[in-house]
Amino acid sequence: MYSLEIKNVTKKFVTAKKELLVAVNDVSFAIEQGKIHGLLGPNGAGKSTLIGMISAMQAADKGVIEVEGIDVGARPTDVKKMLGVVPQEIVVEMPFTVEEVLYYYAGMYGVPERERGERIREVLTELDLIGKLKDRARNLSGGMKRRLMIAKAIVHKPKFLILDEPTAGVDVSLRQKIWALVRRLNAEGTTILFTTHYLEEAEQLCESITLIDHGRVIKNGKLKDIQQEFSKNVIHFELFDRAVAHMAGVIEVGSDYEFPMTDLGDDLARLTTYYKGNIKSIRSESASLEQIFLKLTNSPNV
Ligand SMILES: Nc1ncnc2c1ncn2[C@@H]1O[C@H](COP(=O)(O)OP(=O)(O)OP(=O)(O)O)[C@@H](O)[C@H]1O
Ligand SMILES: [Mg+2]
């Protein structure tokens, strides 16, 4: 069962210059229930537009989006109830206190009245914002407003949580809190979709990713499979004693040596037999998400 299925979705805008911009171009992908999925791509790729359509904030021009099997276009209110969304832009209800904002959201999303106070305390404690319970939203710092937005999105324990660049511009401690929160919610069964420009973050958290550029999906799948596809197929090793005759095919790269790999097991066995106790370290290379990203998008803008 999928938490999200996007089928051939297109969204066009008319720009200020009266030109047609295809922000999302025939996008299809799906996320299985209970997964953490990364939506990646350079600035302007179409990520937030896609999130706007998943969360029923804007309508698709073409295609179908289903959240937990429910068509967003046909039943937007039912979909909204299952979702928690943290948008990219900071939007908080400035005149109200943190407690009032969360009380309102908890009520809107059906948290029973007697449970609301406790739920609010729980999420604020986890996000380290409990000390600001009675403060007005307008008086919070930027990072605290971001915490309040996350609290709003999770106070009703959504089945599916969407975070649009939750860690952009936040301090190290908040970033770690957000990671911990994402992992905890996921362990409790929440499916998570998030966007980030920090690729090491995607590597840490996601099992699968969709990479989009200029509105199109350019890669989709399990992160491990994608890394394998792009891995350089070489074995790197270091030697204690460098003054030895080398095995055929071995090349020197700085202080390391490289050997083109055809079969990891066989090649490792051949190298270790040949060099015996002379091998100081040995590893096969797996491409980083950053290398893959740059290669596929030709974009230095990560
Ligand atoms: N309401 C709109 N009217 C016109 N153009 C829009 C509108 N919303 C988005 N766009 C354009 O659609 C494209 C995709 O924007 P989007 O916000 O989805 O990108 P993104 O992938 O989220 O980028 P970022 O990483 O910078 O957040 C951009 O060129 C943007 O200018
Ligand atoms: Mg965006």
Side-chain angles (χ1 to χ4, degrees):
M1 171 80 177
Y2 293 118
S3 270
L4 175 69
E5 253 191 297
I6 299 178
K7 295 178 236 176
N8 307 101
V9 166
T10 294
K11 177 79 185 174
K12 295 174 186 163
F13 292 115
V14 178
T15 67
K17 289 187 203 153
K18 304 269 178 271
E19 287 162 352
L20 199 62
L21 174 86
V22 189
V24 173
N25 195 345
D26 197 26
V27 163
S28 300
F29 69 92
I31 307 176
E32 280 172 39
Q33 266 180 350
K35 302 288 181 197
I36 304 181
H37 189 91
L39 179 61
L40 309 174
N43 288 138
K47 304 178 297 293
S48 297
T49 305
L50 201 50
I51 287 175
M53 291 187 283
I54 300 167
S55 49
M57 303 301 286
Q58 45 185 319
D61 293 330
K62 256 194 226 158
V64 176
I65 301 178
E66 286 178 9
V67 174
E68 307 292 341
I70 299 175
D71 185 333
V72 177
R75 291 165 60 193
T77 316
D78 292 334
V79 166
K80 280 184 184 172
K81 276 189 195 147
M82 284 184 299
L83 286 177
V85 184
V86 182
Q88 184 171 8
E89 303 297 330
I90 289 185
V91 201
V92 286
E93 291 67 13
M94 297 296 185
F96 299 100
T97 67
V98 168
E99 186 176 33
E100 285 163 351
V101 170
L102 292 177
Y103 207 82
Y104 170 77
Y105 274 88
M108 191 165 84
Y109 285 103
V111 177
E113 198 165 349
R114 63 196 143 72
E115 289 173 23
R116 281 179 217 164
E118 201 189 320
R119 279 294 301 148
I120 291 168
R121 282 178 183 280
E122 259 172 38
V123 293
L124 289 181
T125 306
E126 188 164 19
L127 287 162
D128 226 354
L129 198 61
I130 191 73
K132 298 286 179 182
L133 188 69
K134 305 284 181 193
D135 285 46
R136 293 199 186 282
R138 76 158 75 88
N139 296 333
L140 300 178
S141 75
M144 290 171 191
K145 287 189 181 112
R146 171 88 48 205
R147 287 170 210 226
L148 176 55
M149 283 176 56
I150 297 173
K152 273 162 57 172
I154 62 172
V155 71
H156 60 297
K157 296 193 177 169
K159 276 183 116 163
F160 186 5
L161 177 64
I162 302 177
L163 304 132
D164 196 353
E165 290 190 40
T167 56
V170 308
D171 70 23
V172 181
S173 120
L174 178 53
R175 177 171 304 174
Q176 278 170 359
K177 278 198 178 70
I178 295 172
W179 287 20
L181 185 84
V182 163
R183 290 202 174 102
R184 179 183 67 76
L185 291 169
N186 180 250
E188 288 170 7
T190 307
T191 308
I192 291 164
L193 171 67
F194 78 97
T195 74
T196 179
H197 287 281
Y198 301 110
L199 297 180
E200 84 281 359
E201 179 166 284
E203 281 177 325
Q204 290 276 331
L205 292 174
C206 307
E207 202 175 318
S208 54
I209 58 159
T210 301
L211 180 54
I212 62 170
D213 194 14
H214 296 104
R216 284 186 183 276
V217 173
I218 51 174
K219 209 78 212 173
N220 177 62
K222 287 211 165 70
L223 188 53
K224 251 198 269 159
D225 295 343
I226 295 171
Q227 280 176 318
Q228 192 146 31
E229 184 188 330
F230 284 82
S231 71
K232 276 166 88 198
N233 291 327
V234 288
I235 296 174
H236 283 278
F237 61 99
E238 287 178 292
L239 296 176
F240 290 111
D241 178 9
R242 301 168 58 85
V244 289
H246 290 288
M247 200 170 96
V250 167
I251 51 166
E252 200 173 333
V253 185
S255 60
D256 273 18
Y257 295 93
E258 270 185 19
F259 182 74
M261 180 169 75
T262 36
D263 178 280
L264 180 62
D266 286 355
D267 292 334
L268 277 180
R270 283 178 58 210
L271 285 165
T272 46
T273 310
Y274 183 90
Y275 290 100
K276 298 213 176 61
N278 195 13
I279 292 179
K280 196 164 148 192
S281 70
I282 191 159
R283 66 189 160 82
S284 67
E285 173 138 314
S286 146
S288 75
L289 191 49
E290 185 158 320
Q291 290 162 337
I292 298 170
F293 189 100
L294 292 174
K295 195 164 183 173
L296 289 174
T297 62
N298 289 318
S299 162
N301 197 4
V302 243

